[in-house]
Amino acid sequence: MIDAEPAPEVHFTPDGPTVATPPETTGRYIVVFAHDADAPGVLATAGVREVASIRDLGGELDAVARTDTMFDRLGMAIVSDPGGLATANAADVGVLAVVPELIHHVRDGAYARGYADGTQDLATRLASAAPASADGDAAPGARAFRDGDAATWGIQATRADASSYSGAGIKVAVLDTGFDSTHPDFAGRAVTTASFIAGETSEDGHGHGTHCIGTSCGPLAPESGPRYGVAHGAEIFAGKVLSNAGSGGDSAILAGIDWAITQGCAIISMSLGADVPNVHEPYTLAGRRALDQGSLIVAAAGNNAQRTDLNFGFVGTPANSPHIAAVAALNQQLDVAFFSARTLPDARGGQVDLAGPGYQVYSSWPMPQRYRSISGTSMATPHVAGLAALWAEATGLRAGALWSILTQESHRLLAPSLDVGSGLLVAP
Amino acid sequence: MAVDDAHVAQIDDVVARLRARGMTVDQVMRSVGMVSGSIDDPSALDGVAGVQVHGAVRHQLPDPGSDVQ
């Protein structure tokens, strides 16, 4: 997923990532038609003439590079001059988009074999990127998940929506910035809260905690919007170990772990960490003692990679402790998210163990905003925590035995194990 | 302060010894076998049986408006 050449600096905006340098284009345009549009008629009316059908080019597919061509099966045309379509009212005649043709490079950084191949590659990609069905589920053959009306992409990718398990009877602790107890999606749920931050209640003044609790334990059927929570039947333990400013020390976190063990939580989810590459011994002990008492700790591997700049980062503390499961973040294509930290060579215990959905994750946010989509290994971790609760319910296993089944049952990915461990955890 | 396996069962005795050396004990965490607190000179705790001293690390999330958390 990484270009061999240095990537331009990426800026992240609410509309998605952008780069300061404009993309390379061919000077031609791709016209995308609505399903029912009269494409030849629209082109003729707009003054775009002599557009050949791809079917009329015979075997000379490289002619696409120099001939204005209609891709009948795709409902698209590539033209040198979009004429009147480039201006307003295109939508009225059934044109969905008019976009510049981009130049694509092969991933090894060597320039491709001219843009004829680029055009064919584009056509192939467009053909394979089948549209999602109405409920948002990935269409057969499609390689990307997307949020649907019924469930978020993460719930679909982890098959939580197909599971008969809910985490019933399992206690899940989320140690984070607290919990918005007024959030309507959790009305009637068993939620036990505690604050380990001096001068602050367990109410979430940041948002991160409420988001993580939503992903791990959110409801089966929210009043509105898609399902975003995995273990909808689990009992929630919200420990505030990070302040409303998002920070906390070891003592609060260890106190939270201690509390969660005492409460009998089978799963302890910690979407927190410090960019410290060496193992911090208190978490080695805390992780081992948690396992000894039936609690499995899962923690965020960290967001310190900038893979677009060939910087792969490292698993920070506490996730790098050998008795704590470190979780990496995947995007909708099940590729490693650009920020997700990599296993360090020779790091004792400091490896990525599992991966979960962690890019553009929709979940609960403190009222009045109610919902928000954010990215991070912090978002992958509660997916894994919720799934672990389902496995705990399904198998009765706890601690090390539970961890073992999670490793066995995760779906292997093409990405290096350095980045994703045993792969994408899915529901039982 | 991490209390070793042999002394976890006697954590209260360990805490008493730490206090005697001048440590202000904030929390006694029985399940994980740890004690948190502060002391001006950690070397004063050298030789207390069954404990290891670790400096506390601070953990920080991005601000709530950040896209990557």
Side-chain angles (χ1 to χ4, degrees), chain A residues 208 211-212 215 271 357-358 361 374-383, chain B residues 69:
Chain A
H208 193 270
H211 200 275
C212 291
T215 300
S271 291
V361 173
I374 46 177
S375 304
T377 53
S378 282
M379 284 67 244
T381 301
H383 274 108
Chain B
Q69 299 262 341

Side-chain angles (χ1 to χ4, degrees), chain A residues 220-233:
Chain A
L220 176 62
E223 237 171 66
S224 64
R227 173 181 170 187
Y228 56 86
V230 177
H232 55 88

Side-chain angles (χ1 to χ4, degrees), chain A residues 206 208 245-251 253-255 258 262 273-274 280-283 285 288-289 293 303 372 375-376 378, chain B residues 2-5 8 27 29-34 36 52 54-69:
Chain A
H206 183 285
H208 193 270
S247 71
D250 285 330
S251 58
I253 294 161
L254 292 166
D258 193 81
T262 307
H280 194 40
E281 286 303 325
Y283 293 103
L285 272 177
R288 179 164 63 75
R289 287 175 176 158
Q293 293 168 81
N303 303 331
R372 187 162 168 226
S375 304
S378 282
Chain B
V3 180
D4 71 25
D5 291 351
V8 168
Q27 287 169 312
M29 297 167 270
R30 293 169 199 283
S31 291
V32 291
M34 292 191 201
S36 68
Q52 284 180 303
H54 301 284
V57 171
R58 193 132 194 96
H59 302 258
Q60 175 69 53
L61 292 178
D63 76 75
S66 172
D67 283 335
V68 175
Q69 299 262 341

